[in-house]
Amino acid sequence: MRLLLKGFVCDGTGEPTRRAVLIDGGVIAAVEPEIIGSCAADRTFTFRDEIIAPGFIDVHGHSDLSLPAAPEAISKRGQGFTGEIIGNCGLSAFPITDRNRDHLRELYSAYPVPLNWETLAEYRSELARRQVRLRVFPLCGHNTLRAAVAGYEKERLTAEDLTAMKRQLDRCLRSGASGLSSGLRYVPGCFATPGEIVELMRVLAAHDRAYATHLRSEGDELLESLRETLDCALRAGLKRVQISHFKTAGRENWPKLDAALELIAAYRKQGVDIHVDRYPYVESQTMLSVILPPPFDRMGDGEITRMLQDASAREQLTASLRAAKKAADWARLRLTGAGAPEHRKFLGKHFSEIPRDPAELCVEILQNDANRATVSAAGMSAENLRRILALDFCMAGSDGNALNPDALYGNTHPRNFGTAPRFMRMLLDSGVSLGRAVRRLTALPAEFFQLGKIGRIAPDYAADLTIFDPETIDSPADFTDPTRPAHGIVRTMLAGTFSA
């Protein structure tokens, strides 16, 4: 079917102009002046003041298992995303072996999807079988890769382990993985040495693929962690590095942004193409287990739940949390995910608002199911957010999942439904031109991650489009009502087919 779209076209490379887009068989056939574009078509759609843009690309998502469970991808398509880079923060749905399968089954137990694949190719086949409504570009997760070879408890790798990891990574990249991600704050990524990362980066460099990293620290040791990653890239000869959800976490670390930007600028001058992604919120979200003191901080979530079945372990952790956390700490931690109904009634509330001892409640939630326990933390600066979004190498990353409002799997951060429109609104309100704002959500991520013929409105490119109203685009979603639909997203199109 030949479709003709008329209106203001913002092609991902420049400012909007009145054009016509001819689509044939899921591909853009022509982009022409409107008078010429009135050629024969099966259907014609005319948009007055709305913008016809390439489909938005979420450069940092976690829909690896939520997409098979919710293939309609309502939360993504509803905010204008037609594509997502998955497998972030070191966690991907492949490669799977006997060493990591049981752990991944525990981790993804919220989703009614059997992990009956091993390779990227088999995972792609499962997505195709379930007819997911989102174009996905998987990264290979370092944590999953490491565990596939050496499990989750082994801290020091042998030379044979590292060689096996490199071979696995090479196979993933040859199968079409868009790069490697790491989550150096999580088990087992936290055990990795710089030497291990350099060796894997060398495999990436040979394939000219990108490395995306959740830094070892985004707060107290932000600068040291950033330098570690960029030094590794230089040593490996790796050209492209993505800093995931770039932030300065904790009020005491807000002044570090200038030094972090200077560090990025210095390494860019040395030839490392560094980009960052960010969600337009000042509350982060992560696993509840990351707040735990030793020895629990070096355990996987499943192991934590198993250990807390013992009363003495619960008493030990409760006492440690009471000693380590002040009232102000609990006041900034908001519960966003929990496994048991008696805990889910507290979702969206800060621990300080819940009429329970926060340390005891925390331990109880983890004892029930640490894999589903998530928190958000209000530890970021609104001014630093504004400055980060102003960077011309900053792209939109939701750090969220593809969800359906009536059947949520997992967390309830408003970024799951509102990242793209809020990102766009903040750019436009800050004076960024419409063309430059659209580029940040479309052509820029497609170019940086080498995603092929998407991200632009041009002949022979995929007909993935987002039509939006630049006057009203925004998100009303918040922690009280995180699934509220975005404003200003008129329609999305994937491979020539409009969303319902």
Side-chain angles (χ1 to χ4, degrees), residues 35-360:
I35 190 168
I36 300 175
S38 60
C39 59
D42 297 299
R43 293 192 67 184
T44 298
F45 300 84
T46 301
F47 300 96
R48 293 184 177 275
D49 300 317
E50 299 87 352
I51 301 298
I52 303 169
F56 298 160
I57 301 168
D58 185 348
V59 302
H60 186 101
H62 290 282
S63 300
D64 307 62
L65 264 290
S66 69
L67 261 178
E72 302 83 4
I74 290 173
S75 66
K76 298 287 182 174
R77 296 289 294 271
Q79 60 180 297
F81 286 130
T82 59
E84 179 184 331
I85 296 173
I86 60 175
N88 281 285
C89 295
L91 178 63
S92 60
F94 63 90
I96 298 179
T97 69
D98 290 341
R99 290 181 177 273
N100 64 357
R101 188 182 300 276
D102 287 345
H103 176 92
L104 291 172
R105 280 176 175 156
E106 275 189 338
L107 184 65
Y108 289 126
S109 60
Y111 306 109
V113 179
L115 272 67
N116 53 9
W117 60 82
E118 295 181 357
T119 66
L120 170 56
E122 291 167 346
Y123 170 66
R124 283 189 185 277
S125 294
E126 181 66 13
L127 294 181
R129 187 182 73 80
R130 292 176 180 259
Q131 298 181 316
V132 299
R133 314 291 199 273
L134 199 68
R135 202 178 293 275
V136 297
F137 304 92
L139 300 173
C140 176
H142 169 249
N143 287 350
T144 305
L145 174 67
R146 198 181 202 270
V149 170
Y152 288 88
E153 297 180 1
K154 192 172 187 178
E155 297 192 18
R156 291 178 176 269
L157 298 182
T158 65
E160 291 76 15
D161 291 333
L162 188 53
T163 296
M165 285 178 67
K166 291 166 68 176
R167 286 174 180 163
Q168 280 271 23
L169 177 58
D170 182 74
R171 282 195 287 272
C172 290
L173 296 172
R174 290 180 186 277
S175 296
S178 296
L180 176 72
S181 78
S182 66
L184 299 179
R185 189 174 179 181
Y186 305 109
V187 175
C190 61
F191 304 143
T193 64
E196 176 182 329
I197 300 301
V198 168
E199 286 300 305
L200 295 172
M201 281 183 170
R202 286 179 174 144
V203 178
L204 285 177
H207 288 268
D208 191 25
R209 302 287 170 83
Y211 174 72
T213 182
H214 179 146
L215 295 170
R216 213 175 287 273
S217 170
E218 298 173 321
D220 293 347
E221 298 179 5
L222 168 65
L223 300 180
E224 295 85 347
S225 298
L226 185 57
R227 187 182 296 277
E228 174 193 24
T229 288
L230 301 180
D231 276 344
C232 286
L234 274 184
R235 288 170 58 191
L238 183 67
K239 298 300 183 185
R240 287 179 292 127
V241 173
Q242 175 80 3
I243 307 301
S244 300
H245 34 63
F246 182 49
K247 64 173 76 76
T248 52
R251 181 178 294 273
E252 66 277 11
N253 297 306
W254 293 355
K256 293 180 179 178
L257 181 58
D258 285 335
L261 293 176
E262 289 171 6
L263 200 56
I264 289 173
Y267 280 87
R268 291 186 112 206
K269 288 180 180 177
Q270 296 181 71
V272 184
D273 184 8
I274 305 160
H275 282 59
V276 304
D277 64 69
R278 183 59 196 263
Y279 45 80
Y281 300 89
V282 293
E283 288 194 41
S284 62
Q285 180 170 287
T286 189
M287 305 306 293
L288 175 58
S289 57
V290 303
I291 75 167
L292 300 185
F296 296 91
D297 61 335
R298 297 179 80 79
M299 297 179 187
D301 288 320
E303 185 182 359
I304 290 170
T305 292
R306 287 189 289 274
M307 180 166 283
L308 291 179
Q309 303 313 303
D310 179 73
S312 62
R314 295 196 297 273
E315 291 174 5
Q316 175 192 347
L317 180 54
T318 301
S320 296
L321 283 170
R322 284 175 178 154
K325 300 297 178 186
K326 301 176 182 178
D329 297 320
W330 296 114
R332 72 184 187 88
L333 286 174
R334 187 195 303 268
L335 184 65
T336 58
E342 63 266 28
H343 299 143
R344 286 200 291 269
K345 66 185 179 183
F346 300 134
L347 296 184
K349 294 184 177 181
H350 293 95
F351 276 84
S352 59
E353 299 176 290
I354 301 170
R356 291 281 307 276
D357 174 78
E360 283 186 359

Side-chain angles (χ1 to χ4, degrees), residues 380-401:
M380 288 178 273
S381 160
E383 173 60 17
N384 282 0
L385 169 62
R386 184 194 65 77
R387 292 181 61 194
I388 290 168
L389 294 187
L391 301 171
D392 61 8
F393 54 87
C394 176
M395 300 176 280
S398 72
D399 202 12
N401 302 328

